[in-house]
Amino acid sequence: MVDDRPSSFTRYAVRALPGGLVLLRFEGLRHDLPEGYLRRTAHLPAFWVREGVPLDVEVRRYERWAGRLPARPARFCNPSEPRQGVAQRFAALAGLPHLTERQVAWVRDKTAMKDRFRQLGLRTARYARVRSARDVERFAGRYGWPAVLKPVDSFACVDTHRLTGPAAPAGLDFGARRWMVEEHLGGTEWEVCGLIHAGEVLDAWPSAMPCRPLDIVDGAMNANISVGSGEGPPVDLRALLQRVVTGMGIDHGYAHMEFFVVGGEVYAGEIGVRLAGCEIPANHGHAYGFDVFGATLDVYLGRRPVLDYRERRCAGDLLLPLPGSGTVRRITPREELLRIPGVIDAVLKAGVGEPVAARRASHNASGYVHVAGTSIGEVERRMRKVLDVFTIEVAPA
């Protein structure tokens, strides 16, 4: 399993597979793995891919290393979006189940992705590859402002901008990365997740977003709400995911897709074949009352999970604000958050006196709470109550 940052899923896997988990790590990303987490996972075999060394050389070194393990890994899981390309290439060279180079392009390069959506008969926002501010202006001259400018391989809204006019964001370098522009869609933005086994989408779970991701990075409430109570969009979500999964030849895994409903029509946004970000998978577990991480491990281990739902409600994750980088001076205690009606769990990523680093990304947070309720509206109201209570003060470094 690729392990480039601690997550709820990787922590679950560490507990669930104490004798059957091998971690694949990258030396260039060691700073994203806290020392405490490294100590807690020190009992597991971990192969570190060296920075600047050809991948085929590292795979040969891995094969010698894996030959000394009690059992050589036979399955592969990459829960990381930014590591998708290198991780799948590593798995291919090591003879493990993997996405092909073309499949990686479909789920990572947003222009190739939208090209494929259209080939499969799905509507998308109009889009174009761009190499200059003039290209963006020409696109907007044809389709209108606002327009959305993003790197083709971005994630979590990193370096993604909603433009209302021809002025480019400060410091943007069109030559440093590959960029695209697309029209800004109205309507309602939704998310859907699903598990895939033997090419079949076993089920699809919708999520509502009180605020759009591009509003979130500018300070709006950062939340996702799994809709287990029947309030979801009027769309056959399982069929929608199945069309994409079949069209992309995906055999197994976890899929996360964003889409828009505009005037009753569905527009495909983006898809990732890896676990959803933030705490969205955990939301589904709380909303449907089942072991979502265990079911996810099953599909990556080649097993068909039993989706035994014992609950039907709405449950969401609210990411707690992180106003800047520095040292935490004051933060609302977890115990106080748990006393708020509807809050079923709370996690703080840092305590008083500890360093924090903020960035413009949809996963920027000082922690999160899980909130449950009978409807999307009730969960959102309870989340806003949490924000009324929560405070954090950060002393700049």
Side-chain angles (χ1 to χ4, degrees), residues 6 8 11 34 40 279 318-323 328-340 343-357 363-370 386-387 389-394:
S8 296
R11 290 188 180 97
R40 289 190 295 274
E279 292 297 315
L318 169 67
L319 272 63
L320 300 171
L322 179 57
V328 177
R329 295 176 60 179
R330 186 164 68 94
I331 190 168
T332 302
R334 178 175 184 268
E335 294 72 24
E336 186 173 343
L337 297 173
L338 289 171
R339 288 196 290 267
I340 300 172
V343 175
I344 56 178
D345 194 13
V347 174
L348 298 177
K349 294 183 177 180
V352 173
E354 296 181 352
V356 290
H363 59 268
N364 181 64
S366 58
Y368 60 86
V369 294
H370 283 295
V386 172
L387 293 178
V389 171
F390 181 76
T391 59
I392 181 172
E393 293 180 10
V394 177

Side-chain angles (χ1 to χ4, degrees), residues 162-393:
R162 179 174 48 212
L163 307 180
T164 57
L172 190 145
D173 183 355
F174 280 96
R177 303 177 70 176
R178 293 180 298 136
W179 295 84
M180 67 175 291
V181 63
E182 62 183 7
E183 65 177 329
H184 183 268
L185 291 177
T188 304
E189 186 172 0
W190 294 87
E191 302 165 310
V192 61
C193 296
L195 288 179
I196 307 154
H197 173 74
E200 177 189 355
V201 176
L202 303 179
D203 205 352
W205 311 305
S207 292
M209 289 181 285
C211 301
R212 286 190 171 193
L214 278 175
D215 296 324
I216 287 168
V217 295
D218 290 328
M221 184 171 77
N222 193 349
N224 308 274
I225 302 173
S226 179
V227 187
S229 60
E231 293 184 273
V235 178
D236 186 338
L237 295 177
R238 189 170 171 182
L240 173 64
L241 268 184
Q242 188 66 64
R243 181 190 293 195
V244 176
V245 164
T246 300
M248 292 185 174
I250 306 300
D251 175 72
H252 67 280
Y254 186 114
H256 173 73
M257 184 173 180
E258 296 155 2
F259 65 96
F260 300 81
V261 178
V262 184
E265 302 287 357
V266 175
Y267 287 75
E270 298 175 3
I271 190 168
V273 180
R274 40 75 184 162
L275 271 81
C278 302
E279 292 297 315
I280 295 171
N283 293 342
H284 300 318
H286 289 304
Y288 295 87
F290 80 114
D291 183 359
V292 63
F293 291 137
T296 301
L297 273 183
D298 278 344
V299 297
Y300 282 103
L301 289 168
R303 305 189 294 239
R304 184 186 182 98
V306 176
L307 302 180
D308 183 16
Y309 301 152
R310 303 181 181 183
E311 188 80 63
R312 288 285 183 174
R313 60 179 177 175
C314 292
D317 65 311
L318 169 67
L319 272 63
L320 300 171
L322 179 57
S325 300
T327 302
V328 177
R329 295 176 60 179
R330 186 164 68 94
I331 190 168
T332 302
R334 178 175 184 268
E335 294 72 24
E336 186 173 343
L337 297 173
L338 289 171
R339 288 196 290 267
I340 300 172
V343 175
I344 56 178
D345 194 13
V347 174
L348 298 177
K349 294 183 177 180
V352 173
E354 296 181 352
V356 290
R359 65 181 307 191
R360 187 183 182 277
S362 62
H363 59 268
N364 181 64
S366 58
Y368 60 86
V369 294
H370 283 295
V371 181
T374 58
S375 66
I376 296 171
E378 182 176 55
V379 172
E380 183 176 345
R381 288 191 295 273
R382 289 175 167 179
M383 287 176 167
R384 294 193 183 279
K385 177 61 177 176
V386 172
L387 293 178
D388 290 340
V389 171
F390 181 76
T391 59
I392 181 172
E393 293 180 10

